[in-house]
Amino acid sequence: MGCCTSKVNADPVSTVLVIGPESAGKTTLLRSVGRRCAGADESEPVRTMPTIGQEVEYLSAPGARVMLQEIGGCLAPTWPRYYDRAAAVLFVVDAAAPETWAEALVLLEELVGAAREKPIGVVLNKLDADGADGSAARGLLGLEDLAVDVFEGSLTGKGALVDDLRAFALAARPLSIK
């Protein structure tokens, strides 16, 4: 079985919620992980448009199936509805857009307070862009004081970030049914 597919014949075992402010790179995350898993050509730029609603990408590996579920940034008020069903959460921040960090801080604090005991990964994206400042974003968001995993890089590059995010998603343990 391959590591990734856009169609899975059975229900996903785990859901990893992918959220963050608008234009942070959530759709790029889904598509980049999907391309890498499928062994597709990564030299072409990922084409995206703002997500109004949700998008999904399915990953599979021996012993694990995961649905990456992106909920658009414009739907931030609805995100808490999805927390209970998620095994883990990836929160994406545009490290090259300091004008969005205050909003990201508020949304991240709400997430950490509401999604207790779930693995949370914060992705500082677009570090290859002009004006990107990962350490300033890390400081303003208070990431050193939060119980979160931090991933830094660019989702459009060929670095290890996509592989690290895939590993985080596949490590998400399924929720027990109550």
Side-chain angles (χ1 to χ4, degrees):
M1 180 187 298
C3 78
C4 176
T5 179
S6 60
K7 294 179 183 174
V8 173
N9 294 330
D11 290 334
V13 173
S14 299
T15 298
V16 175
L17 194 59
V18 179
I19 57 176
E22 292 182 54
S23 300
K26 299 174 296 297
T27 304
T28 302
L29 185 154
L30 265 66
R31 297 203 179 137
S32 295
V33 171
R35 278 184 179 186
R36 177 77 48 93
C37 289
D41 180 11
E42 296 181 53
S43 64
E44 292 293 319
V46 174
R47 298 194 196 296
T48 65
M49 5 181 351
T51 300
I52 310 291
Q54 65 180 332
E55 289 202 24
V56 297
E57 182 74 39
Y58 293 94
L59 310 179
S60 59
R65 281 197 320 252
V66 175
M67 178 178 71
L68 293 176
Q69 180 181 23
E70 174 202 351
I71 308 299
C74 64
L75 295 173
T78 69
W79 294 347
R81 297 180 192 169
Y82 297 90
Y83 296 160
D84 287 342
R85 294 180 293 232
V89 181
L90 283 169
F91 185 86
V92 185
V93 178
D94 183 345
E99 66 278 7
T100 66
W101 297 347
E103 176 190 12
L105 173 62
V106 171
L107 295 170
L108 182 58
E109 286 179 345
E110 290 173 359
L111 166 64
V112 170
R116 298 179 197 275
E117 300 182 25
K118 291 187 187 288
I120 298 172
V122 176
V123 182
L124 297 179
N125 188 26
K126 303 182 186 180
L127 284 173
D128 60 343
D130 290 339
D133 190 343
S135 63
R138 185 184 275 269
L140 180 84
L141 296 171
L143 297 182
E144 304 304 329
D145 300 325
L146 298 176
V148 299
D149 292 312
V150 179
F151 302 94
E152 298 184 45
S154 173
L155 290 165
T156 59
K158 291 189 176 192
L161 179 60
V162 172
D163 292 327
D164 293 343
L165 295 175
R166 176 185 170 271
F168 176 87
L170 288 171
R173 294 287 141 238
L175 299 175
S176 58
I177 299 173
K178 296 180 181 177

